[in-house]
Amino acid sequence: MAGQIGVGMVGYAFMGAAHSQAWRTVHHAFDVPLTPRMAVLCGRDATAAEAAAAKLGWAAFETDWKRLVDDEDVQLLDICTPGDTHAEIALAALEAGKHVLCEKPLANTVAEAEAMAAAASAAAARGVRSMVAFNYRRVPALAFARSLVADGRLGELRHVRAQYLQDWIVDPAFPLVWRLQKDKAGSGALGDIGAHIVDLAQFLTGARITGVSALTETFVKERPLVVSSSGLVASSGPARGEVTVDDAALFTARFDSGAIGSFEATRFAAGRKNAMRIELNGSAGSLAFDFEAMNELHFHDHTADPELAGFRRILVTEPGHPYVGAWWPPGHGLGYEHSFTHEIRDFLVALGEGSDPAPSFADGLQVQRVLDAVERSAAAASVWTPVR
Protein backbone atom coordinates (compact mmCIF):
# COMPACT_ATOMS: atom_id res chain seq x y z
CA MET A 1 0.00 0.00 0.00
CA ALA A 2 1.21 3.50 -0.84
CA GLY A 3 3.16 5.15 1.97
CA GLN A 4 3.47 1.93 3.94
CA ILE A 5 6.22 -0.64 4.38
CA GLY A 6 5.63 -4.21 5.52
CA VAL A 7 7.95 -5.28 8.33
CA GLY A 8 8.85 -8.82 9.36
CA MET A 9 10.73 -9.34 12.61
CA VAL A 10 12.76 -12.45 13.53
CA GLY A 11 13.00 -12.91 17.31
CA TYR A 12 10.67 -11.65 20.01
CA ALA A 13 12.46 -11.65 23.37
CA PHE A 14 14.31 -8.68 24.92
CA MET A 15 15.35 -6.96 21.69
CA GLY A 16 12.23 -8.05 19.85
CA ALA A 17 10.06 -6.36 22.46
CA ALA A 18 12.15 -3.16 22.29
CA HIS A 19 12.00 -3.08 18.48
CA SER A 20 8.26 -3.80 18.50
CA GLN A 21 7.69 -0.80 20.76
CA ALA A 22 9.58 1.34 18.23
CA TRP A 23 7.69 0.02 15.20
CA ARG A 24 4.38 0.67 17.00
CA THR A 25 5.15 4.25 18.01
CA VAL A 26 7.50 5.80 15.43
CA HIS A 27 4.83 7.18 13.10
CA HIS A 28 2.89 8.62 16.03
CA ALA A 29 5.88 10.63 17.26
CA PHE A 30 7.59 11.55 13.99
CA ASP A 31 6.58 12.52 10.47
CA VAL A 32 8.14 9.61 8.60
CA PRO A 33 7.94 9.02 4.84
CA LEU A 34 6.83 5.41 5.31
CA THR A 35 4.35 4.05 7.84
CA PRO A 36 5.47 0.65 9.16
CA ARG A 37 2.98 -2.18 8.89
CA MET A 38 3.86 -4.85 11.47
CA ALA A 39 3.15 -7.74 9.14
CA VAL A 40 4.68 -10.83 10.73
CA LEU A 41 6.76 -11.97 13.69
CA CYS A 42 8.89 -15.10 13.52
CA GLY A 43 9.98 -17.44 16.31
CA ARG A 44 10.87 -21.12 16.48
CA ASP A 45 8.16 -22.09 18.99
CA ALA A 46 4.70 -21.69 17.43
CA THR A 47 2.83 -21.23 20.71
CA ALA A 48 5.29 -18.68 22.05
CA ALA A 49 5.52 -16.84 18.72
CA GLU A 50 1.75 -16.60 18.42
CA ALA A 51 1.49 -15.21 21.95
CA ALA A 52 4.30 -12.73 21.33
CA ALA A 53 2.75 -11.54 18.07
CA ALA A 54 -0.55 -10.85 19.83
CA LYS A 55 1.12 -9.11 22.77
CA LEU A 56 3.55 -7.01 20.75
CA GLY A 57 1.15 -5.97 17.97
CA TRP A 58 2.14 -8.11 14.96
CA ALA A 59 -0.56 -9.14 12.49
CA ALA A 60 0.68 -12.71 12.01
CA PHE A 61 3.38 -15.13 13.08
CA GLU A 62 5.68 -17.70 11.47
CA THR A 63 8.13 -20.32 12.73
CA ASP A 64 10.52 -20.28 9.75
CA TRP A 65 12.32 -17.03 8.91
CA LYS A 66 12.71 -18.15 5.30
CA ARG A 67 8.98 -17.61 4.83
CA LEU A 68 9.49 -13.94 5.72
CA VAL A 69 12.18 -13.67 3.03
CA ASP A 70 9.74 -15.12 0.48
CA ASP A 71 6.73 -13.11 1.69
CA GLU A 72 5.82 -10.32 -0.77
CA ASP A 73 3.98 -8.55 2.06
CA VAL A 74 7.35 -8.05 3.83
CA GLN A 75 9.68 -5.39 2.40
CA LEU A 76 11.91 -4.98 5.47
CA LEU A 77 13.40 -7.64 7.75
CA ASP A 78 14.29 -6.80 11.36
CA ILE A 79 16.76 -9.32 12.84
CA CYS A 80 16.57 -9.58 16.66
CA THR A 81 18.08 -13.06 17.08
CA PRO A 82 21.33 -14.28 18.69
CA GLY A 83 24.45 -13.51 16.69
CA ASP A 84 24.94 -17.01 15.27
CA THR A 85 21.96 -16.50 12.93
CA HIS A 86 22.54 -12.91 11.79
CA ALA A 87 24.63 -13.67 8.71
CA GLU A 88 22.41 -16.37 7.22
CA ILE A 89 19.21 -14.36 7.64
CA ALA A 90 20.66 -11.04 6.48
CA LEU A 91 22.36 -12.49 3.42
CA ALA A 92 19.16 -14.23 2.30
CA ALA A 93 17.05 -11.12 2.91
CA LEU A 94 19.39 -8.78 1.02
CA GLU A 95 19.59 -11.20 -1.90
CA ALA A 96 15.77 -11.23 -1.99
CA GLY A 97 15.67 -7.43 -2.14
CA LYS A 98 14.51 -6.84 1.44
CA HIS A 99 15.78 -3.90 3.48
CA VAL A 100 17.50 -5.17 6.64
CA LEU A 101 17.86 -3.87 10.18
CA CYS A 102 20.19 -6.13 12.16
CA GLU A 103 20.89 -6.12 15.88
CA LYS A 104 24.44 -5.67 17.13
CA PRO A 105 27.06 -6.98 17.08
CA LEU A 106 26.68 -7.49 13.33
CA ALA A 107 27.96 -11.08 13.42
CA ASN A 108 29.93 -13.56 15.51
CA THR A 109 33.05 -13.47 13.34
CA VAL A 110 34.91 -11.07 11.09
CA ALA A 111 34.41 -13.40 8.12
CA GLU A 112 30.62 -13.34 8.60
CA ALA A 113 30.63 -9.56 9.01
CA GLU A 114 32.74 -9.15 5.86
CA ALA A 115 30.26 -11.23 3.87
CA MET A 116 27.36 -9.20 5.25
CA ALA A 117 29.03 -5.86 4.50
CA ALA A 118 29.83 -6.95 0.95
CA ALA A 119 26.25 -8.12 0.39
CA ALA A 120 24.92 -4.84 1.83
CA SER A 121 27.13 -2.83 -0.52
CA ALA A 122 25.96 -4.83 -3.53
CA ALA A 123 22.32 -4.52 -2.43
CA ALA A 124 22.64 -0.75 -1.97
CA ALA A 125 23.48 -0.45 -5.67
CA ARG A 126 20.02 -1.93 -6.29
CA GLY A 127 18.33 0.45 -3.84
CA VAL A 128 18.17 -2.07 -0.99
CA ARG A 129 19.26 -0.53 2.33
CA SER A 130 20.64 -1.96 5.54
CA MET A 131 21.57 -0.73 8.99
CA VAL A 132 23.07 -2.22 12.15
CA ALA A 133 21.18 -1.41 15.35
CA PHE A 134 23.57 0.47 17.62
CA ASN A 135 20.69 2.21 19.38
CA TYR A 136 22.76 4.28 21.83
CA ARG A 137 23.78 6.59 18.99
CA ARG A 138 20.15 7.78 19.13
CA VAL A 139 20.12 8.77 22.81
CA PRO A 140 19.54 12.56 22.52
CA ALA A 141 22.41 13.44 24.90
CA LEU A 142 24.86 11.35 22.86
CA ALA A 143 23.62 12.66 19.52
CA PHE A 144 24.07 16.17 20.96
CA ALA A 145 27.56 15.21 22.19
CA ARG A 146 28.47 14.19 18.65
CA SER A 147 27.40 17.62 17.37
CA LEU A 148 29.59 19.34 19.97
CA VAL A 149 32.61 17.28 18.87
CA ALA A 150 31.87 17.84 15.17
CA ASP A 151 31.58 21.60 15.81
CA GLY A 152 35.06 21.60 17.34
CA ARG A 153 33.92 22.49 20.87
CA LEU A 154 36.39 19.99 22.36
CA GLY A 155 39.27 20.96 20.08
CA GLU A 156 41.83 18.24 19.36
CA LEU A 157 40.67 15.02 20.99
CA ARG A 158 43.26 13.33 23.18
CA HIS A 159 41.53 10.88 25.52
CA VAL A 160 38.56 8.52 25.20
CA ARG A 161 37.50 6.75 28.39
CA ALA A 162 34.63 4.25 28.04
CA GLN A 163 32.99 1.75 30.37
CA TYR A 164 29.96 -0.49 30.20
CA LEU A 165 29.19 -1.97 33.61
CA GLN A 166 26.40 -4.42 34.46
CA ASP A 167 25.87 -6.96 37.25
CA TRP A 168 23.22 -9.40 36.07
CA ILE A 169 25.45 -12.52 36.18
CA VAL A 170 27.35 -11.82 39.42
CA ASP A 171 25.50 -14.72 41.08
CA PRO A 172 27.29 -17.98 40.11
CA ALA A 173 23.91 -19.73 40.25
CA PHE A 174 22.60 -17.65 37.35
CA PRO A 175 21.83 -20.08 34.48
CA LEU A 176 23.87 -20.73 31.35
CA VAL A 177 21.78 -18.59 28.96
CA TRP A 178 22.73 -18.24 25.29
CA ARG A 179 24.64 -15.02 25.96
CA LEU A 180 27.18 -17.14 27.89
CA GLN A 181 27.78 -19.59 25.03
CA LYS A 182 30.35 -18.69 22.38
CA ASP A 183 28.72 -20.69 19.57
CA LYS A 184 25.57 -18.55 19.91
CA ALA A 185 26.83 -15.20 21.20
CA GLY A 186 30.31 -15.02 19.64
CA SER A 187 31.76 -13.51 22.80
CA GLY A 188 30.58 -12.45 26.24
CA ALA A 189 30.68 -8.97 27.75
CA LEU A 190 32.99 -7.96 24.91
CA GLY A 191 30.44 -8.46 22.12
CA ASP A 192 27.28 -7.95 24.15
CA ILE A 193 28.07 -4.58 25.70
CA GLY A 194 31.66 -3.83 24.66
CA ALA A 195 30.48 -3.53 21.05
CA HIS A 196 28.30 -0.59 22.11
CA ILE A 197 31.14 1.45 23.59
CA VAL A 198 33.43 0.66 20.66
CA ASP A 199 30.82 1.94 18.22
CA LEU A 200 29.98 4.90 20.42
CA ALA A 201 33.63 5.94 20.79
CA GLN A 202 34.13 5.85 17.03
CA PHE A 203 30.81 7.62 16.41
CA LEU A 204 31.47 10.45 18.88
CA THR A 205 35.06 11.04 17.81
CA GLY A 206 34.60 10.47 14.08
CA ALA A 207 37.82 8.40 14.28
CA ARG A 208 38.63 4.70 14.00
CA ILE A 209 40.40 2.44 16.47
CA THR A 210 43.59 1.15 14.86
CA GLY A 211 45.12 -1.10 17.54
CA VAL A 212 44.55 -2.54 21.02
CA SER A 213 46.17 -4.22 23.99
CA ALA A 214 43.65 -6.35 25.86
CA LEU A 215 42.86 -8.86 28.55
CA THR A 216 39.71 -10.84 29.22
CA GLU A 217 38.56 -13.01 32.12
CA THR A 218 35.86 -15.59 32.84
CA PHE A 219 35.19 -15.53 36.58
CA VAL A 220 32.55 -18.28 36.74
CA LYS A 221 33.59 -21.25 34.62
CA GLU A 222 30.43 -23.38 34.97
CA ARG A 223 26.76 -22.57 35.43
CA PRO A 224 23.45 -24.43 35.78
CA LEU A 225 21.78 -25.34 32.49
CA VAL A 226 18.69 -23.37 31.48
CA VAL A 227 15.23 -24.87 31.91
CA SER A 228 13.35 -21.81 30.65
CA SER A 229 14.28 -18.21 29.83
CA SER A 230 12.79 -14.89 28.74
CA GLY A 231 15.06 -11.97 27.98
CA LEU A 232 17.61 -11.72 30.80
CA VAL A 233 15.49 -13.80 33.20
CA ALA A 234 16.00 -17.56 33.33
CA SER A 235 15.41 -20.62 35.50
CA SER A 236 17.70 -23.64 35.78
CA GLY A 237 17.94 -27.28 36.75
CA PRO A 238 20.63 -29.34 38.50
CA ALA A 239 22.76 -30.07 35.41
CA ARG A 240 25.69 -27.76 34.68
CA GLY A 241 27.57 -26.60 31.60
CA GLU A 242 30.73 -24.70 30.69
CA VAL A 243 30.76 -20.93 30.23
CA THR A 244 32.62 -20.39 26.95
CA VAL A 245 32.73 -16.59 26.76
CA ASP A 246 34.42 -13.77 28.65
CA ASP A 247 32.80 -12.25 31.73
CA ALA A 248 34.88 -9.07 31.45
CA ALA A 249 37.15 -7.38 28.92
CA LEU A 250 39.64 -4.53 29.37
CA PHE A 251 41.71 -2.88 26.66
CA THR A 252 43.64 0.21 25.72
CA ALA A 253 43.45 1.56 22.19
CA ARG A 254 44.81 4.05 19.69
CA PHE A 255 42.67 6.00 17.23
CA ASP A 256 43.68 7.08 13.75
CA SER A 257 43.22 10.70 14.89
CA GLY A 258 46.05 10.34 17.41
CA ALA A 259 43.78 10.03 20.45
CA ILE A 260 44.24 7.19 22.95
CA GLY A 261 41.51 5.28 24.73
CA SER A 262 40.69 2.89 27.55
CA PHE A 263 37.71 0.52 27.51
CA GLU A 264 36.09 -1.74 30.10
CA ALA A 265 33.12 -4.06 29.62
CA THR A 266 31.90 -6.30 32.42
CA ARG A 267 28.75 -7.99 33.63
CA PHE A 268 30.32 -8.45 37.10
CA ALA A 269 30.20 -4.86 38.44
CA ALA A 270 27.95 -5.46 41.46
CA GLY A 271 25.51 -2.59 41.89
CA ARG A 272 25.87 -1.28 38.34
CA LYS A 273 22.75 -2.07 36.33
CA ASN A 274 23.42 -0.34 33.01
CA ALA A 275 26.26 2.08 33.58
CA MET A 276 27.42 2.86 30.07
CA ARG A 277 29.83 5.74 30.57
CA ILE A 278 32.02 7.69 28.19
CA GLU A 279 34.26 10.71 28.65
CA LEU A 280 36.15 12.61 25.96
CA ASN A 281 38.98 15.02 26.76
CA GLY A 282 40.23 17.49 24.16
CA SER A 283 42.45 20.55 23.92
CA ALA A 284 39.47 22.90 24.24
CA GLY A 285 37.11 20.98 26.51
CA SER A 286 35.62 17.72 27.74
CA LEU A 287 32.30 15.94 27.87
CA ALA A 288 31.02 13.06 29.99
CA PHE A 289 27.92 10.84 29.87
CA ASP A 290 26.46 8.03 31.99
CA PHE A 291 23.44 6.12 30.67
CA GLU A 292 22.10 5.69 34.20
CA ALA A 293 21.42 9.45 33.93
CA MET A 294 20.61 9.30 30.24
CA ASN A 295 19.00 12.75 29.88
CA GLU A 296 22.13 14.52 31.13
CA LEU A 297 25.37 15.51 29.43
CA HIS A 298 28.28 17.06 31.34
CA PHE A 299 30.34 19.56 29.35
CA HIS A 300 33.46 21.55 30.25
CA ASP A 301 34.58 24.52 28.13
CA HIS A 302 38.32 24.81 28.74
CA THR A 303 38.46 28.14 26.87
CA ALA A 304 36.26 29.86 29.47
CA ASP A 305 37.49 32.08 32.31
CA PRO A 306 39.34 29.68 34.66
CA GLU A 307 37.62 31.25 37.67
CA LEU A 308 34.24 30.22 36.24
CA ALA A 309 35.19 27.12 34.29
CA GLY A 310 34.16 23.59 35.21
CA PHE A 311 31.81 20.84 34.15
CA ARG A 312 28.25 22.01 33.64
CA ARG A 313 25.24 19.70 33.68
CA ILE A 314 23.14 20.04 30.54
CA LEU A 315 19.62 18.61 30.75
CA VAL A 316 19.12 17.38 27.18
CA THR A 317 15.35 17.85 27.00
CA GLU A 318 15.00 21.07 24.97
CA PRO A 319 13.07 21.03 21.67
CA GLY A 320 16.26 21.96 19.80
CA HIS A 321 18.14 18.93 21.07
CA PRO A 322 18.27 15.89 18.72
CA TYR A 323 14.95 13.98 18.54
CA VAL A 324 13.51 15.67 21.66
CA GLY A 325 11.11 18.01 19.88
CA ALA A 326 8.91 15.06 18.91
CA TRP A 327 8.15 14.21 22.52
CA TRP A 328 7.40 16.14 25.72
CA PRO A 329 7.85 19.69 27.12
CA PRO A 330 11.34 20.65 28.35
CA GLY A 331 12.43 18.86 31.52
CA HIS A 332 10.36 15.74 30.85
CA GLY A 333 12.96 13.03 30.33
CA LEU A 334 13.01 10.23 27.80
CA GLY A 335 13.79 6.55 28.41
CA TYR A 336 15.64 3.55 27.00
CA GLU A 337 12.83 2.64 24.60
CA HIS A 338 13.00 6.03 22.86
CA SER A 339 16.47 5.26 21.47
CA PHE A 340 14.93 2.45 19.42
CA THR A 341 12.13 4.68 18.17
CA HIS A 342 14.73 7.22 17.03
CA GLU A 343 16.69 4.42 15.35
CA ILE A 344 13.63 3.27 13.41
CA ARG A 345 12.80 6.88 12.55
CA ASP A 346 16.24 7.43 11.02
CA PHE A 347 16.04 4.17 9.07
CA LEU A 348 12.63 5.05 7.61
CA VAL A 349 13.81 8.55 6.68
CA ALA A 350 16.81 7.08 4.85
CA LEU A 351 14.55 4.65 3.00
CA GLY A 352 12.25 7.50 2.01
CA GLU A 353 15.15 9.61 0.79
CA GLY A 354 16.91 6.72 -0.93
CA SER A 355 20.04 7.43 1.13
CA ASP A 356 22.37 5.09 2.99
CA PRO A 357 21.48 4.84 6.69
CA ALA A 358 24.06 4.84 9.46
CA PRO A 359 25.52 2.91 11.13
CA SER A 360 25.99 0.79 8.04
CA PHE A 361 27.02 -2.84 7.83
CA ALA A 362 30.49 -1.48 7.00
CA ASP A 363 30.42 0.32 10.36
CA GLY A 364 29.36 -2.92 12.00
CA LEU A 365 32.26 -4.69 10.31
CA GLN A 366 34.70 -2.11 11.69
CA VAL A 367 33.41 -2.79 15.21
CA GLN A 368 33.72 -6.54 14.59
CA ARG A 369 37.35 -6.07 13.56
CA VAL A 370 38.06 -4.20 16.80
CA LEU A 371 36.43 -6.98 18.84
CA ASP A 372 38.50 -9.53 16.94
CA ALA A 373 41.70 -7.61 17.71
CA VAL A 374 40.75 -7.52 21.40
CA GLU A 375 40.27 -11.29 21.47
CA ARG A 376 43.53 -11.92 19.61
CA SER A 377 45.44 -9.61 21.96
CA ALA A 378 43.96 -11.19 25.08
CA ALA A 379 44.85 -14.66 23.79
CA ALA A 380 48.47 -13.53 23.25
CA ALA A 381 49.25 -12.13 26.71
CA SER A 382 47.95 -8.64 25.89
CA VAL A 383 50.40 -8.07 23.02
CA TRP A 384 49.75 -4.89 21.01
CA THR A 385 47.45 -5.97 18.17
CA PRO A 386 46.57 -3.90 15.09
CA VAL A 387 42.96 -3.84 13.95
CA ARG A 388 42.93 -5.64 10.60
Side-chain angles (χ1 to χ4, degrees):
M1 289 182 282
Q4 294 195 358
I5 185 167
V7 181
M9 187 177 74
V10 190
Y12 54 81
F14 177 19
M15 281 299 100
H19 283 226
S20 296
Q21 167 79 3
W23 289 117
R24 286 196 307 269
T25 60
V26 65
H27 58 291
H28 298 296
F30 294 95
D31 292 327
V32 287
L34 297 166
T35 300
R37 192 163 27 82
M38 298 170 66
V40 56
L41 173 148
C42 181
R44 288 172 295 184
D45 182 283
T47 301
E50 182 178 21
K55 179 180 180 180
L56 299 175
W58 296 86
F61 75 95
E62 286 284 1
T63 57
D64 185 347
W65 61 263
K66 293 176 183 176
R67 295 196 188 103
L68 275 63
V69 172
D70 295 333
D71 190 343
E72 294 183 359
D73 198 37
V74 172
Q75 293 87 47
L76 186 156
L77 216 63
D78 185 357
I79 303 172
C80 297
T81 56
D84 62 323
T85 61
H86 287 185
E88 183 182 13
I89 299 172
L91 292 173
L94 290 170
E95 178 64 26
K98 313 284 187 183
H99 306 297
V100 175
L101 176 64
C102 184
E103 257 303 324
K104 46 56 58 186
L106 185 61
N108 279 1
T109 68
V110 170
E112 289 178 341
E114 287 175 339
M116 294 169 73
S121 178
R126 309 191 308 270
V128 179
R129 310 295 173 185
S130 54
M131 188 172 82
V132 59
F134 283 109
N135 64 295
Y136 289 122
R137 288 190 179 201
R138 271 70 183 205
V139 171
L142 290 170
F144 182 54
R146 171 57 192 154
S147 70
L148 292 176
V149 174
D151 289 345
R153 296 296 298 273
L154 269 61
E156 179 185 347
L157 291 177
R158 291 165 176 167
H159 287 284
V160 177
R161 206 167 291 108
Q163 297 177 312
Y164 205 147
L165 314 176
Q166 295 180 339
D167 72 351
W168 58 279
I169 57 172
V170 168
D171 184 353
F174 186 87
L176 188 68
V177 295
W178 69 265
R179 293 178 188 271
L180 305 180
Q181 301 172 53
K182 188 173 182 63
D183 62 331
K184 297 180 178 65
S187 63
L190 176 63
D192 184 20
I193 54 181
H196 275 301
I197 53 176
V198 169
D199 177 72
L200 193 58
Q202 296 184 134
F203 167 65
L204 290 178
T205 63
R208 286 191 169 195
I209 294 171
T210 59
V212 301
S213 173
L215 63 86
T216 60
E217 184 57 62
T218 303
F219 299 114
V220 177
K221 307 295 198 272
E222 284 189 346
R223 290 184 178 273
L225 296 181
V226 173
V227 173
S228 64
S229 66
S230 176
L232 300 182
V233 179
S235 61
S236 61
R240 302 181 69 81
E242 181 186 4
V243 176
T244 51
V245 300
D246 59 277
D247 286 330
L250 302 171
F251 64 96
T252 54
R254 286 191 180 277
F255 291 78
D256 59 10
S257 63
I260 59 175
S262 62
F263 294 78
E264 177 184 10
T266 180
R267 300 184 291 206
F268 271 74
R272 301 299 181 192
K273 299 303 176 184
N274 208 40
M276 187 189 70
R277 302 163 168 176
I278 191 160
E279 180 170 326
L280 305 182
N281 306 129
S283 59
S286 296
L287 59 80
F289 171 84
D290 184 342
F291 187 73
E292 290 186 347
M294 67 170 286
N295 292 287
E296 300 176 12
L297 182 68
H298 293 261
F299 173 68
H300 165 65
D301 183 352
H302 202 64
T303 66
D305 183 343
E307 295 182 356
L308 299 174
F311 275 94
R312 74 177 74 139
R313 170 181 170 268
I314 302 171
L315 189 62
V316 188
T317 61
E318 293 297 319
H321 286 136
Y323 305 108
V324 178
W327 298 104
W328 319 122
H332 293 72
L334 302 188
Y336 174 68
E337 73 277 11
H338 292 90
S339 65
F340 294 93
T341 305
H342 302 159
E343 177 178 83
I344 298 299
R345 178 264 178 198
D346 288 351
F347 195 21
L348 291 174
V349 168
L351 294 182
E353 294 175 344
S355 60
D356 292 325
S360 65
F361 277 22
D363 295 324
L365 170 58
Q366 165 63 14
V367 172
Q368 202 75 46
R369 286 173 169 159
V370 175
L371 303 183
D372 173 71
V374 170
E375 289 192 304
R376 288 187 287 118
S377 175
S382 305
V383 67
W384 182 257
T385 304
V387 175
R388 288 170 175 161

